[in-house]
Amino acid sequence: MRVLIPGAGPTGLVAAMAPAKEGQRVTVVDRDPPPPVGGPDQVFADWKRPGVGQFSTAVGASPTSS
């Protein structure tokens, strides 16, 4: 059996785990493009993700926060 999961967010990825563990062939699709090439700062600046509203929202943290 083949399984198609629409959405590569947390819910889609978790939903894909169960059939994958059972040996099913799982395909996860997402509307956002793959990440650009580069380091964390470059990826954060250049990766346009309209499907993830909180991706570019300032919440007091960035990929390089310590």
Side-chain angles (χ1 to χ4, degrees):
M1 175 187 255
R2 296 187 321 176
V3 179
L4 176 67
I5 304 291
T11 303
L13 297 177
V14 170
M17 290 170 60
K21 278 185 172 181
E22 295 175 4
Q24 305 299 325
R25 184 176 175 182
V26 178
T27 301
V28 178
V29 295
D30 197 65
R31 68 179 170 181
D32 289 337
V37 177
D41 291 330
Q42 191 67 37
V43 169
F44 190 75
D46 293 344
W47 197 4
K48 305 304 179 217
R49 300 198 60 200
V52 183
Q54 73 275 19
F55 186 75
S56 60
T57 303
V59 292
S62 72
T64 57
S65 294
S66 50

